[in-house]
Coordinates of all heavy atoms in Angstrom, one line a residue:
Chain B
F89 N 164.4 48.0 100.7 CA 163.0 48.3 100.3 C 162.5 49.7 100.4 O 161.5 50.1 99.9 CB 162.1 47.4 101.1 CG 162.3 45.9 100.8 CD1 162.7 45.1 101.8 CD2 162.1 45.4 99.6 CE1 162.9 43.7 101.6 CE2 162.3 44.0 99.3 CZ 162.7 43.2 100.3
L90 N 163.2 50.6 101.2 CA 162.7 51.9 101.5 C 163.6 53.0 101.1 O 163.2 54.2 101.1 CB 162.3 52.0 103.0 CG 161.2 51.0 103.4 CD1 161.1 51.0 104.9 CD2 159.9 51.3 102.7
D91 N 164.8 52.8 100.6 CA 165.6 53.8 100.0 C 165.2 53.9 98.5 O 165.4 52.9 97.8 CB 167.1 53.4 100.2 CG 168.1 54.4 99.6 OD1 167.7 55.2 98.7 OD2 169.2 54.5 100.1
K92 N 164.8 55.1 98.1 CA 164.3 55.3 96.7 C 165.3 54.9 95.7 O 164.9 54.6 94.5 CB 164.0 56.8 96.5 CG 162.6 57.2 96.7 CD 162.3 58.5 96.1 CE 160.9 58.6 95.5 NZ 160.5 60.0 95.3
R93 N 166.6 54.9 96.0 CA 167.6 54.6 95.0 C 167.7 53.1 94.8 O 168.5 52.6 93.9 CB 168.9 55.2 95.4 CG 168.8 56.7 95.6 CD 170.0 57.3 96.4 NE 170.2 56.5 97.5 CZ 171.3 56.5 98.2 NH1 172.4 57.1 97.7 NH2 171.4 55.7 99.2
S94 N 167.1 52.2 95.6 CA 167.2 50.8 95.5 C 166.2 50.3 94.4 O 165.1 50.7 94.3 CB 166.8 50.1 96.9 OG 166.5 48.8 96.7
P95 N 166.7 49.3 93.6 CA 165.8 48.7 92.6 C 164.6 48.0 93.2 O 163.5 47.9 92.6 CB 166.6 47.7 91.8 CG 167.9 47.6 92.7 CD 168.0 48.7 93.6
A96 N 164.7 47.6 94.5 CA 163.5 46.9 95.1 C 162.7 47.9 96.0 O 161.9 47.4 96.8 CB 164.1 45.8 96.0
Y97 N 162.8 49.2 95.7 CA 162.1 50.2 96.5 C 160.6 49.9 96.5 O 160.0 49.7 95.5 CB 162.3 51.5 95.9 CG 161.6 52.7 96.5 CD1 161.9 53.1 97.8 CD2 160.6 53.4 95.9 CE1 161.2 54.1 98.5 CE2 159.9 54.4 96.4 CZ 160.2 54.8 97.8 OH 159.5 55.8 98.3
L98 N 160.0 49.8 97.7 CA 158.6 49.5 97.9 C 157.7 50.7 98.3 O 156.5 50.5 98.4 CB 158.4 48.5 99.0 CG 158.8 47.1 98.8 CD1 158.5 46.2 100.0 CD2 158.1 46.5 97.5
G99 N 158.4 51.8 98.4 CA 157.6 53.0 98.9 C 156.4 53.3 98.1 O 155.3 53.7 98.6
G100 N 156.4 53.0 96.8 CA 155.3 53.2 95.9 C 154.1 52.3 96.2 O 152.9 52.7 95.9
A101 N 154.3 51.2 96.9 CA 153.2 50.3 97.3 C 152.3 51.0 98.3 O 151.1 50.6 98.4 CB 153.8 49.1 97.9
T102 N 152.8 52.1 99.0 CA 151.9 52.8 99.9 C 150.7 53.4 99.2 O 149.7 53.6 99.8 CB 152.6 53.8 100.8 OG1 153.3 54.7 99.9 CG2 153.6 53.1 101.6
E103 N 151.0 53.8 98.0 CA 149.9 54.4 97.2 C 148.7 53.5 97.1 O 147.5 53.9 97.0 CB 150.4 54.8 95.8 CG 151.1 56.1 95.7 CD 150.5 56.9 94.6 OE1 149.3 57.0 94.4 OE2 151.4 57.4 93.8
F104 N 149.0 52.2 97.0 CA 147.9 51.2 96.9 C 147.5 50.8 98.3 O 146.3 50.9 98.7 CB 148.4 49.9 96.2 CG 147.5 48.7 96.3 CD1 146.3 48.8 95.7 CD2 147.9 47.6 97.0 CE1 145.4 47.6 95.7 CE2 147.0 46.6 97.1 CZ 145.8 46.6 96.5
L105 N 148.4 50.4 99.2 CA 148.1 49.9 100.5 C 147.5 50.9 101.4 O 146.7 50.6 102.3 CB 149.4 49.3 101.2 CG 150.0 48.1 100.4 CD1 151.3 47.8 101.0 CD2 149.0 46.9 100.5
C106 N 147.8 52.2 101.2 CA 147.2 53.3 102.0 C 146.2 54.1 101.3 O 145.8 55.2 101.8 CB 148.3 54.2 102.6 SG 149.4 53.3 103.6
S107 N 145.8 53.7 100.2 CA 144.8 54.5 99.4 C 143.5 54.5 100.3 O 143.2 53.6 101.0 CB 144.5 53.9 98.1 OG 144.0 52.5 98.2
P108 N 142.8 55.7 100.2 CA 141.5 55.8 100.9 C 140.6 54.6 100.7 O 139.9 54.1 101.7 CB 140.9 57.1 100.4 CG 142.0 57.9 99.9 CD 143.1 56.9 99.4
M109 N 140.6 54.1 99.5 CA 139.7 53.0 99.2 C 140.0 51.7 100.1 O 139.1 51.0 100.5 CB 139.9 52.6 97.7 CG 138.8 51.8 97.1 SD 137.2 52.7 97.1 CE 136.1 51.4 96.8
L110 N 141.3 51.5 100.4 CA 141.6 50.4 101.3 C 141.4 50.7 102.7 O 140.9 49.9 103.5 CB 143.0 49.9 101.0 CG 143.1 48.6 100.1 CD1 142.8 48.9 98.7 CD2 144.4 47.9 100.3
T111 N 141.8 51.9 103.1 CA 141.7 52.3 104.6 C 140.3 52.6 104.9 O 139.9 52.4 106.1 CB 142.6 53.5 104.8 OG1 142.4 54.5 103.9 CG2 144.1 53.1 104.7
E112 N 139.5 53.0 104.0 CA 138.1 53.3 104.2 C 137.4 52.0 104.7 O 136.5 52.1 105.6 CB 137.4 53.8 102.8 CG 135.9 53.8 102.8 CD 135.4 55.2 103.2 OE1 136.2 56.0 103.6 OE2 134.2 55.3 103.2
G113 N 137.7 50.9 104.0 CA 137.0 49.7 104.5 C 137.4 49.4 105.9 O 136.5 48.9 106.7
A114 N 138.6 49.7 106.3 CA 139.1 49.4 107.7 C 138.3 50.2 108.7 O 138.0 49.8 109.8 CB 140.6 49.6 107.8
R115 N 138.0 51.4 108.3 CA 137.3 52.3 109.2 C 135.9 52.0 109.4 O 135.3 52.5 110.4 CB 137.4 53.8 108.7 CG 138.8 54.3 108.9 CD 138.8 55.9 109.0 NE 140.2 56.2 108.6 CZ 140.5 56.8 107.5 NH1 139.6 57.2 106.7 NH2 141.8 57.0 107.2
H116 N 135.3 51.1 108.6 CA 134.0 50.7 108.8 C 134.0 49.2 109.2 O 133.1 48.4 108.8 CB 133.1 51.0 107.6 CG 133.0 52.4 107.3 ND1 133.7 53.1 106.4 CD2 132.2 53.3 107.9 CE1 133.4 54.3 106.4 NE2 132.5 54.5 107.3
L117 N 135.0 48.8 109.9 CA 135.2 47.4 110.2 C 134.0 46.8 111.1 O 133.6 45.7 110.8 CB 136.5 47.2 110.9 CG 136.9 45.7 111.2 CD1 136.9 44.9 109.9 CD2 138.2 45.6 111.9
T118 N 133.5 47.6 112.0 CA 132.4 47.0 112.8 C 131.3 46.6 112.0 O 130.7 45.5 112.1 CB 132.0 48.1 113.9 OG1 133.1 48.4 114.7 CG2 130.9 47.5 114.8
D119 N 130.9 47.5 111.0 CA 129.8 47.1 110.1 C 130.1 46.0 109.2 O 129.3 45.1 108.9 CB 129.4 48.3 109.2 CG 128.7 49.4 110.0 OD1 128.1 49.1 111.0 OD2 128.7 50.6 109.6
A120 N 131.4 45.8 108.8 CA 131.8 44.7 108.0 C 131.7 43.3 108.8 O 131.3 42.3 108.3 CB 133.3 44.9 107.5
V121 N 132.0 43.4 110.1 CA 131.9 42.2 111.0 C 130.4 41.8 111.1 O 130.0 40.7 111.0 CB 132.5 42.4 112.4 CG1 132.2 41.3 113.3 CG2 134.0 42.7 112.2
R122 N 129.6 42.9 111.3 CA 128.1 42.6 111.3 C 127.6 41.9 110.1 O 126.9 40.9 110.1 CB 127.3 43.9 111.5 CG 127.5 44.5 112.9 CD 126.4 45.6 113.2 NE 126.7 46.0 114.6 CZ 127.1 47.3 114.8 NH1 127.4 48.1 113.9 NH2 127.3 47.7 116.1
K123 N 128.1 42.4 108.9 CA 127.5 42.0 107.7 C 128.3 40.8 107.1 O 127.7 40.1 106.3 CB 127.8 43.2 106.7 CG 127.1 43.3 105.4 CD 127.5 44.6 104.7 CE 127.1 44.5 103.2 NZ 127.5 45.7 102.5
G124 N 129.5 40.6 107.5 CA 130.3 39.5 106.9 C 131.0 39.9 105.6 O 131.5 39.0 104.9
G125 N 131.1 41.1 105.4 CA 131.8 41.6 104.2 C 131.9 43.1 104.2 O 131.4 43.7 105.1
T126 N 132.6 43.7 103.2 CA 132.9 45.1 103.3 C 131.6 45.9 103.4 O 130.5 45.6 102.9 CB 133.6 45.5 102.0 OG1 134.0 46.9 102.1 CG2 132.7 45.4 100.7
A127 N 131.8 47.0 104.2 CA 130.7 47.9 104.4 C 130.8 49.1 103.4 O 130.0 50.0 103.5 CB 130.7 48.5 105.9

Side-chain angles (χ1 to χ4, degrees):
Chain B
F89 297 115
L90 296 172
D91 182 333
K92 262 195 148 165
R93 304 163 312 158
S94 163
Y97 177 67
L98 285 184
T102 54
E103 276 228 50
F104 169 70
L105 295 169
C106 299
S107 58
M109 199 64 197
L110 260 74
T111 52
E112 169 88 358
R115 284 203 205 113
H116 296 98
L117 184 58
T118 303
D119 286 336
V121 174
R122 288 198 179 108
K123 194 175 162 185
T126 186

